[in-house]
Amino acid sequence: MPLIDWFTVVAQVVNFLILVWLLKRFLYKPILNAVDAREKKVADELKNADAKEAEAQKEKDDFKHKNEEFDQQRSALLNKAKEEAKAEHQRLLEEIRKEASDLRAKQQEALRNEEQNLSQEISHRTQQEVFNIARKALTDLAGTSLEERVVDVFVQKLRNMKDEEKNQLVSALSTSSSQLLIRTAFDLPQAQRDLIKKTIKETLGIETQPRFETAPDLVSGIELTTDGQKVAWSIADYLSSLQKSIDNLLKEKNTSKAKTKSQTKNNKPRSENEPEAEQEPEAETNKPKLKTESEVETKPETDYNKPKSRKEPEIEQESDAEQELDAEQEPEAGQESAKQQSETKSEPVAKQEINPKLEPT
Amino acid sequence: MRLSPDELIFWQYGFIKLNATIVYTWGLMLIMVVSSKIITSKLSTGLERSRWQNILEIIVTSILEQIEDIGLDQPKKYLGFLGTLFLFIGMANLCIIIPGYEPPTGSLSTTAALALCVFVAVPLFGIEEQGVGNYLKTYTEPTIIMLPFNIISELSRTLALAIRLFGNIMSGSMIVAILLTITPFIFPIVMTVLGLLVGTVQAYIFSVLATVYIAAATREHKHGPKTGAKEG
C-alpha cells in the first residue's frame, strides 16, 4: 500500500497555504498590532513620566529658588524696616529733644521777659509811688512841692561841696567853652531856676547862663554837667538798690521752680521737705499784681535753709523805708546798702553820697 | 492495522477522496482559526489583558524571537509561514491526547506536502531577497564543482524533513497502538506522554530547519551555512 497519496499531498498543501493566510489574518497581525500598541503606549507613558518628572523637578527647583528669593527679600525688608524704625525712633527722639529744649528756652525767655517786665514795672511804680508819697507828704507837712524840695537838696549839695571840688568845677567851667547843663526829670519853674543860678553864683563865684533840659530817665533827679564834670542827685540809686533786692527774690523763686519742675517731670512723688513746691504754683496763679506781696509773705516762711532769703526781706523793707524817708533825708543805713549795691554793679551810677562826687565821664 | 490516516477514507469520488488526514487537518484548522478569531476579536492594547490573549502573545512573540535568533533580520516577514508551520505541526502532534484522534502529521502525504512547501518557499524567499542571479549563484558556492551536490542537498533535505516528521509521529502512534494490544493499562499513557514530547520537539525541529534554510537562502553568501549536512 502506498505511503503517499498525491491527492492528499496537494490537498494538504492547499490546506496549509489557506491556514497560513487565515492565521496571518486572524492571529499574527492582531496580536502583533496589540503588542506594538501596548509597547508604544508603555513607551509613551514612560516618556510622559520622564517629562513629568523633569517638569516636576523643574518646578521644584523653581519653587526652591523662589522660596529662597522670598526668604532673602523678606529678611531684607525686615532689616530695612528695622533700620527705618530705628532711624525714625532716633529722629523722633531728636525732635522731641529739640522741642523740649526749644520749649525750655522759650520758657526761660518768657521767664526772663516776665522778670524784666516785672522789675521795670516795680521800678516804675516804686518811682511813682515814692514821688506821690513824697509829694503828698511834702505838701501836707511842709507846704512845699517835691520839685522845690529836690532843688533845695541839690542847692544844699552844691553849697556843701568841698573846696577842691568847687575849684575843679570852676576850672572846668572856665576852661571849657561849653555851657553849664542842668538836666532834670521834670520841668523846673522859673523860681527854682533862678535859685539854682543864684546858688551857682554864690558857691562857685561864676555868672553863668545854664541851659535847662528835661530828661525823664533821670528818675526825678537833678544833675549839673559841664565839660567832664558832674554834680547830681536822683532817686535812681534807691530804685536800683530796690530792684536788686527784688531781682534776688525772683531768682530764688526761679531756681525753686526749676527744681519742682524737674521733679514733676520725673514723676517722683513730692517730698514733704519742699513745701515751696506747693506754695509756688499758688503764688503763680495769683496775678502778677499780687505777686510781690505773696512772695514777700511766703519766702521767709518756706526757705529755711537759705540764710540769704531771710536777709533779703529785711533789705527790702529797709529800702522801702528808705524810699519813704528819702524825700526828707537819706538815713545812713540806706546809704550803706546803696553803696553795697553800687559796688556789686559795675556801672558807676551810684551818686547819692551826701557829698557830691566829681567823676570823670 | 493502518500505517497512516490516509487509509481511512470517509468519502471518495474518482481520485478525489476525503480521508482522515484531510478531515482532521480541517478540524485543526477550524479550531485554530476560530479560537484565534475569538481571542483576537477583543484584544486590549492596555496593560490589562485576558489570559488567552496573554498566551497568544507569548506564543507569537516567542516565535518571533526564535526566528530572529536564528538569523533572519525581518522576522515579521517570515512569521506567517514559519509560525504556521510550527503551530500546525505542534497542534497536530499535541492533539494525540484526544482519544480516537489520528495526527495528520503521521501521514507521509502531509509531511511531504509541508516539506514541498518549504522546498518551494526557500528559493522564493531567496530570490525575493537577493534576485534570481544571486540566488542561483549560491548553488555554485564555494566552487562550481559543488553545484550538483548543492542540488542533491536541496532535494535530500526536503525528503529528510518529510520522512523525519512522518517517521517520528507515525512510530509514536504505532507504539501506542501496539502497546494497547499488549498492555492496555499505564504503558500506553506513558508512551502518549512521550509522544507529546516527541511531537513538540519535532514541530520545533521542522520549523527551525525551515528557518535555517530560508536564512541560508536569504543571507549574503560569504559564509552561508550548509546545515543540511548534519541532519540525521
Side-chain angles (χ1 to χ4, degrees), chain B residues 49-78:
Chain B
R49 56 211 194 244
S50 66
R51 59 190 67 180
W52 291 108
Q53 185 186 344
N54 227 349
I55 289 171
L56 286 191
E57 278 182 15
I58 289 167
I59 292 167
V60 172
T61 50
S62 304
I63 295 168
L64 265 183
E65 278 168 25
Q66 284 296 320
I67 296 169
E68 200 170 11
D69 285 349
I70 288 165
L72 285 172
D73 297 331
Q74 298 161 289
K76 280 180 191 175
K77 186 176 162 190
Y78 309 102

Side-chain angles (χ1 to χ4, degrees), chain A residues 1 3-9 11-13 15-20 22-24 26-28 30-32 34-38 41-42 45, chain B residues 3 7 17 19 21 25-26 29 32-33 37 40 43-46 49 53 56-57 64 76 79 83-85 87-88 108-110 112-114:
Chain A
M1 103 180 131
L3 272 176
I4 204 160
D5 178 57
W6 291 109
F7 173 77
T8 311
V9 170
Q12 288 296 70
V13 167
N15 281 343
F16 179 73
L17 292 179
I18 289 170
L19 185 63
V20 167
L22 283 175
L23 283 188
K24 253 190 189 172
F26 292 117
L27 182 63
Y28 306 127
I31 292 284
L32 285 180
V35 169
D36 284 353
R38 178 176 309 109
K41 208 172 186 176
V42 169
E45 272 174 18
Chain B
L3 206 60
E7 292 164 29
K17 51 193 164 191
N19 54 29
T21 308
T25 303
W26 283 352
M29 282 167 67
M32 287 166 75
V33 171
K37 167 100 177 150
T40 58
L43 284 177
S44 88
T45 56
R49 56 211 194 244
Q53 185 186 344
L56 286 191
E57 278 182 15
L64 265 183
K76 280 180 191 175
L79 177 65
T84 307
L85 264 183
L87 287 179
F88 175 67
L108 190 60
S109 305
T110 306
L114 296 178

Side-chain angles (χ1 to χ4, degrees), chain A residues 14-259:
Chain A
V14 172
N15 281 343
F16 179 73
L17 292 179
I18 289 170
L19 185 63
V20 167
W21 181 75
L22 283 175
L23 283 188
K24 253 190 189 172
R25 179 147 195 271
F26 292 117
L27 182 63
Y28 306 127
K29 236 183 219 163
I31 292 284
L32 285 180
N33 285 344
V35 169
D36 284 353
R38 178 176 309 109
E39 273 173 8
K40 197 169 168 255
K41 208 172 186 176
V42 169
D44 282 356
E45 272 174 18
L46 280 175
K47 214 194 226 167
N48 256 351
D50 280 354
K52 271 181 189 165
E53 200 186 6
E55 204 176 320
Q57 187 64 37
K58 201 184 150 203
E59 270 175 21
K60 193 180 156 195
D61 287 350
D62 272 10
F63 182 70
K64 221 176 183 179
H65 189 67
K66 271 184 193 164
N67 232 354
E68 277 170 11
E69 227 169 53
F70 178 71
D71 276 355
Q72 277 179 355
Q73 272 183 359
R74 196 182 54 178
S75 61
L77 274 177
L78 207 67
N79 282 342
K80 205 180 156 197
K82 264 187 201 162
E83 272 167 26
E84 274 177 2
K86 215 183 260 176
E88 184 71 14
H89 179 73
Q90 205 64 31
R91 196 180 64 75
L92 283 174
L93 264 181
E94 288 293 325
E95 224 168 67
I96 286 165
R97 221 170 272 156
K98 207 180 147 199
E99 250 171 53
S101 65
D102 281 1
L103 258 177
R104 207 176 300 143
K106 244 184 225 167
Q107 204 178 12
Q108 278 174 356
E109 183 83 8
L111 266 173
R112 216 175 293 131
N113 284 344
E114 197 188 341
E115 220 172 275
Q116 270 180 8
N117 288 343
L118 195 64
S119 61
Q120 272 181 10
E121 177 87 358
I122 285 166
S123 66
H124 190 65
R125 277 194 183 214
T126 319
Q127 179 192 349
Q128 279 188 347
E129 289 300 315
V130 166
F131 281 132
N132 286 342
I133 291 164
R135 198 170 277 136
K136 197 154 188 288
L138 281 173
T139 41
D140 285 355
L141 297 175
T144 53
S145 75
L146 175 67
E147 288 79 13
E148 270 176 54
R149 272 310 294 158
V150 168
V151 171
D152 282 353
V153 170
F154 184 66
V155 165
Q156 198 71 36
K157 249 187 196 174
L158 278 177
R159 287 213 173 114
N160 291 349
M161 267 200 299
K162 285 171 188 162
D163 285 345
E164 47 185 274
E165 284 172 345
K166 275 182 198 169
N167 291 340
Q168 270 182 4
L169 201 55
V170 168
S171 65
L173 271 174
S174 58
T175 51
S176 76
S177 55
S178 68
Q179 254 183 324
L180 194 66
L181 176 63
I182 291 168
R183 299 165 77 207
T184 49
F186 39 82
D187 279 332
L188 278 177
Q190 195 54 51
Q192 310 297 325
R193 293 187 182 187
D194 289 345
L195 178 61
I196 288 169
K197 270 185 212 165
K198 201 180 138 199
T199 316
I200 289 169
K201 199 183 170 185
E202 280 172 12
T203 52
L204 304 178
I206 309 165
E207 187 76 50
T208 49
Q209 277 302 316
R211 193 153 53 87
F212 290 95
E213 263 182 24
T214 316
D217 62 329
L218 270 177
V219 200
S220 184
I222 182 162
E223 95 181 356
L224 180 152
T225 48
T226 179
D227 201 18
Q229 301 292 328
K230 194 164 159 187
V231 178
W233 178 90
S234 87
I235 65 157
D237 299 315
Y238 302 136
L239 285 179
S240 72
S241 78
L242 175 65
Q243 192 172 351
K244 188 123 195 170
S245 67
I246 288 169
D247 278 352
N248 283 341
L249 260 181
L250 281 174
K251 245 177 231 162
E252 270 165 34
K253 188 183 145 197
N254 278 344
T255 49
S256 61
K257 211 185 256 176
K259 244 192 235 167

Side-chain angles (χ1 to χ4, degrees), chain B residues 21-35:
Chain B
T21 308
I22 296 172
V23 171
Y24 283 128
T25 303
W26 283 352
L28 287 172
M29 282 167 67
L30 196 69
I31 292 167
M32 287 166 75
V33 171
V34 168
S35 56

